[in-house]
Amino acid sequence: MSNIGSYDERVKNFKWSLAEQELEYKDGDVINIGWYCSDRICEKGLANKTALIWEGRSPENLKKYTFNDLRLKSNTIGAFLKNQGISDGDRVCLFMDKVPELYLGLLGILKIGAVAQPLFSAFGDESLFVRLENAGTKAIITQKKHAGKVQKILDKLPNLEKIIIVDYDGRKPLREKEIAFDLEGSTPVEKLDIFPTKAESHSLLHYTSGTTGQPKGVKHVHYSLISQYLTTKWVLDLQPDDIYWCTADPGWVTGTSYGIIGPWSLGITSCVMDSGFSAEAWYAFMQRHKVTMWYSAPTAIRSLMKAGDESVKKFDLSSLRHLASVGEPLNAEAVIWSEKVFGKPFFDTYWQTETGSMMICNYPDMKVKPGSMGKAFPGLTAAILDDKTLEPITEHNKPGLIAFLPDWPACMRTYWNNEETFNKKFSKGWYLSGDKSTIDKDGYFWFVGRDDDVINTGGHLVSPFEVESALLEHEAVAESAVVAKPDQVNMEVVKAFVTLNPGWEAGDELELKIMNFIRKKLSPLAMPQEIEYMDKLPKTRSGKIMRRLLHAKEWGEEIGDTSTLEDD
Ligand code: PRX
């Protein structure tokens, strides 16, 4: 029997207070995610249960942590940060590969009431800078290999007081504002005063990309735990003996909501693999640790499909009990393939950085329709709205904007320093997701596409604006336009159109140089996979670049109305 049981029954009887009761939380109580994920699990008698199985680049590089270790080590990090002058409400950035300090650090930051700001460690200095500047970050916890990127932008970040290096080896002197912190070598702190955060206290700040403007800092609060706990229990269906693997990096919301908070608040053993993608390395990892529940993403699944069925057969994956996916459309073929090779489908889940927890999902005891995102989580009011009137569409299979009544616990509370953009996400009482979908006669949602120009590459959102701006910083580039280009594995990749400044010669060598420039400045995800040189970019008469035309060209779509296009 699954945790959710009958979906229809749950919908009928739903109250969020169910999760509150299980977590022994009452309105007005202290609620601290760091404490819930470690101390409380120990108090429940699971102190010696394995919480984290961590593997580095080779299987020999293995570390295991019990829930008591989580408690002590997060206390130790929390106490260290306090000694460094970090207090409640201060933003502390986590900028690391998937090393144990990242996971334990997040709990430590939350325990002292500070705000965790996780950032993807492959970000280049420009991506890092705009996010640290916007957040007014006070401290950053990082590794030697990433500290150089912080040094490069330090002069422009007056609020940044401490750069905490978790793997300092003494070979080079520490630089300005750097301080070493050795978690393994520190005396464990048995008792830490947990900051009495309340439901609305700020917990996390995750950055996400939009079509225009700089990235948006999505503010989450400690009360989000209520949604994350229950969705983990009902959708991921985690059971006490499960060995769970969430493949997402905590630089992104899946890696925190469901890589850390969900499983640990339920006292579940979680695995982490701190190395890049390879089909056989993934299968071997799951075989070694007897993974039972696996939460991944469509691009990874399509890459596994590409590696072939023979690869799967080399491994014993009989431990797998339940599989789920998030981040981009999960095509029907991937679901069917998964049934063939793993004997079970991937259950698609739909949600966003802003929603903080799963919104539309497939549930263990509900029929999976391959290609559909499933149905709204119990307790949510979801609708498809007409894009002009913003009234709900009642007709089946007619596309509209996905919207929710903003009354679930994990809903974002604002965009940091950007109330104006935040307010635009709400209209007529609805939270507007910015995605389009249809609903079929059985209430299943079918993803249609995004309602903006943001590029979803391999499940990661990239802002065309950020890439266009970075391109303009390259000395050869005069103008730029960036759109998504279709891709078999990543669904979309970044494509740039540029015009060159006088004296520059278009060619492969320059293309490579520009690509690398973006990779270093922004990230490998944002790097254009193709750069097309143009003599002139299509513009409206008022001088605005028409991305729409370039997009249509890439996707072989009708170009539509070009009446505002500049004459040749
Ligand atoms: O466009 C939708 C797509 O990813 C966006 C959210 O991205 P982000 O905030 O980075 O969060 C990703 C992980 C929660 C959505 O607006 N998306 C997410 N899940 C799905 C999806 N598109 C189709 N199907 C999904 N299951």
Side-chain angles (χ1 to χ4, degrees), residues 164-387:
I164 299 160
I165 318 270
V166 295
D167 56 353
Y168 182 63
D169 54 13
R171 280 204 208 138
K172 285 188 192 158
L174 287 165
R175 292 166 291 191
E176 199 187 342
K177 297 190 179 178
E178 287 181 350
I179 173 163
F181 172 64
D182 171 17
L183 178 62
E184 296 302 330
S186 302
T187 315
V189 173
E190 182 56 46
K191 218 181 139 7
L192 174 80
D193 289 332
I194 307 288
F195 190 85
T197 42
K198 291 290 186 78
E200 292 305 305
S201 304
H202 192 173
S203 56
L204 272 108
L205 193 57
H206 265 298
Y207 276 79
T208 185
S209 298
T211 310
T212 54
Q214 294 296 358
K216 297 166 284 185
V218 177
K219 175 181 173 176
H220 286 295
V221 296
H222 282 264
Y223 192 58
S224 69
L225 172 68
I226 303 297
S227 296
Q228 287 149 352
Y229 169 87
L230 203 62
T231 47
T232 304
K233 186 164 176 183
W234 287 2
V235 183
L236 301 182
D237 194 43
L238 290 180
Q239 317 266 350
D241 292 333
D242 268 328
I243 305 287
Y244 167 63
W245 186 32
C246 169
T247 59
D249 186 306
W252 312 102
V253 73
T254 307
T256 56
S257 291
Y258 297 103
I260 299 180
I261 304 172
W264 282 346
S265 65
L266 280 147
I268 302 293
T269 306
S270 211
C271 300
V272 170
M273 185 185 182
D274 183 22
S275 52
F277 177 83
S278 129
E280 299 209 352
W282 275 32
Y283 296 142
F285 179 79
M286 289 197 279
Q287 173 179 280
R288 256 192 316 280
H289 301 296
K290 300 195 169 48
V291 169
T292 55
M293 201 291 149
W294 179 24
Y295 193 28
S296 199
T299 289
I301 301 163
R302 287 190 289 267
S303 303
L304 296 172
M305 267 174 92
K306 219 172 139 194
D309 300 8
E310 287 311 309
S311 269
V312 187
K313 289 187 190 138
K314 290 189 201 160
F315 300 89
D316 175 6
L317 300 175
S318 56
S319 55
L320 285 173
R321 183 177 70 73
H322 187 43
L323 323 175
S325 163
V326 65
E328 10 152 16
L330 180 63
N331 42 321
E333 299 76 40
V335 179
I336 293 162
W337 175 76
S338 134
E339 276 191 295
K340 182 174 82 177
V341 299
F342 303 120
K344 32 196 75 71
F346 269 93
F347 286 67
D348 194 15
T349 67
Y350 163 91
W351 56 291
Q352 306 177 300
T353 307
E354 286 86 344
T355 67
S357 63
M358 297 170 185
M359 303 302 278
I360 297 171
C361 314
N362 288 281
Y363 308 89
D365 286 331
M366 195 178 86
K367 179 177 170 239
V368 172
K369 293 194 187 186
S372 157
M373 303 191 289
K375 296 190 186 186
F377 189 76
L380 294 178
T381 310
I384 297 295
L385 308 183
D386 180 279
D387 56 3

